[in-house]
Amino acid sequence: AAAGVTLLPGVGFDVVPTDCLAAHLHRRLPDATHLSLALEADGGVSPGTLKTVLSDLGSGGAVRRDGRLRHERVGARTRVVDFGDGLRRAVSIPWGDVSTAYHTTGIPNVDVYLSLPANARRAVAVSSYLGGGLDSDTLQRALSWLVDRYVDGPDAETRSTGEARVWGEARSPDDRVVSRLRTPETYHLTVRTALLTATKVLDGGAPAGYQTPAGAFGPDLILEIPGVERVDLQNDEIVERASGPSASRSVK
């Protein structure tokens, strides 16, 4: 900050849409004490993404409790989430928002979930108990070889037609609000959000020092991306919709 430099990591799918949804939920419920986020995406992951995930599984998971990061095993908790097209079961993961959402909103309790099919949930449960065994150089080389051999990542059609869904809930002792996002496919969205935030920083629009995407540019940053829709719910009823790129709003 003293040097006038902006440090703004996490400008892709991790964490622009989730950070913006967290900030939006805080705007809806300023006295929220608990924030939960959940993710679901079409298509697979790239070899690089999968290698990163596998290399870090041995470190375990994390949540934010009373303003502090707490370690726990990946998949320690599950919950059922409605992303807008039916119920899905999701498991807890150490997504970046357990750090960034706290800095953006000040909400002291944050956890993040990932929607997975039953077989994947079982695999996460097994891997979480292996602990430091996953850090073995030999095992990591073997896993990397398997990824290179069998994982191709989402193809061009999936990247152009797929979508991702984000669900968020903010709670206070007296109230609860829920909002959802639908976005373009994760890798496609990452290109758009990275370019958008980089342009804004270069244009002088970001404060100096460490920033989160929504902390620097507000909760509606994600609505500048074409193909994004945000839905607000109250008592399980849709009360507002907003969509990009114009971020126009209408009440249903």
Side-chain angles (χ1 to χ4, degrees):
V5 173
T6 296
L7 179 64
L8 205 167
V11 295
F13 185 82
D14 188 359
V15 294
V16 173
T18 46
D19 194 48
C20 288
L21 192 63
H24 176 65
L25 287 163
H26 185 243
R27 180 169 62 185
R28 293 185 64 195
L29 189 62
D31 60 344
T33 57
H34 291 74
L35 173 69
S36 295
L37 299 166
L39 323 164
E40 181 181 61
D42 294 339
V45 299
S46 73
T49 298
L50 186 54
K51 288 179 182 179
T52 301
V53 171
L54 291 173
S55 69
D56 201 41
L57 275 179
S59 301
V63 293
R64 178 78 63 168
R65 291 290 179 264
D66 299 321
R68 298 179 64 87
L69 288 174
R70 307 291 188 187
H71 287 283
E72 69 171 26
R73 63 180 177 85
V74 179
R77 287 163 291 110
T78 65
R79 69 177 299 165
V80 174
V81 176
D82 183 2
F83 291 95
D85 51 5
L87 298 178
R88 301 285 191 273
R89 189 168 294 279
V91 301
S92 56
I93 60 169
W95 200 250
D97 297 273
V98 297
S99 179
T100 53
Y102 174 68
H103 288 280
T104 302
T105 68
I107 297 175
N109 301 284
V110 182
D111 45 26
V112 187
Y113 297 82
L114 176 65
S115 172
L116 292 173
N119 287 340
R121 293 198 303 271
R122 284 191 285 269
V124 167
V126 171
S127 66
S128 67
Y129 286 107
L130 294 177
L134 289 170
D135 293 331
S136 159
D137 288 342
T138 300
L139 180 56
Q140 284 297 322
R141 284 195 297 270
L143 291 172
S144 181
W145 179 84
L146 288 170
V147 169
D148 288 335
R149 183 174 178 84
Y150 294 109
V151 178
D152 295 323
D155 58 23
E157 181 179 356
T158 300
R159 293 195 303 273
S160 63
T161 62
E163 68 172 24
R165 294 160 290 280
V166 183
W167 170 94
E169 172 197 74
R171 291 184 288 115
S172 72
D174 303 313
D175 205 355
R176 171 182 179 268
V177 294
V178 171
S179 295
R180 299 191 297 239
L181 281 177
R182 285 184 180 267
T183 77
E185 187 270 341
T186 56
Y187 291 98
H188 177 78
L189 181 73
T190 290
V191 174
R192 303 298 296 267
T193 55
L195 290 172
L196 176 64
T197 52
T199 299
K200 286 179 174 290
V201 171
L202 291 171
D203 287 344
Y210 168 74
Q211 303 293 330
T212 63
F217 304 119
D220 294 336
L221 172 69
I222 190 63
L223 296 180
E224 298 184 40
I225 303 296
V228 172
E229 181 186 51
R230 187 178 66 207
V231 174
D232 294 339
L233 298 96
Q234 188 76 42
N235 299 322
D236 297 323
E237 296 290 335
I238 295 176
V239 294
E240 190 170 16
R241 293 180 184 269
S243 59
S246 61
S248 59
R249 290 184 175 83
S250 64
V251 177
K252 185 178 180 180

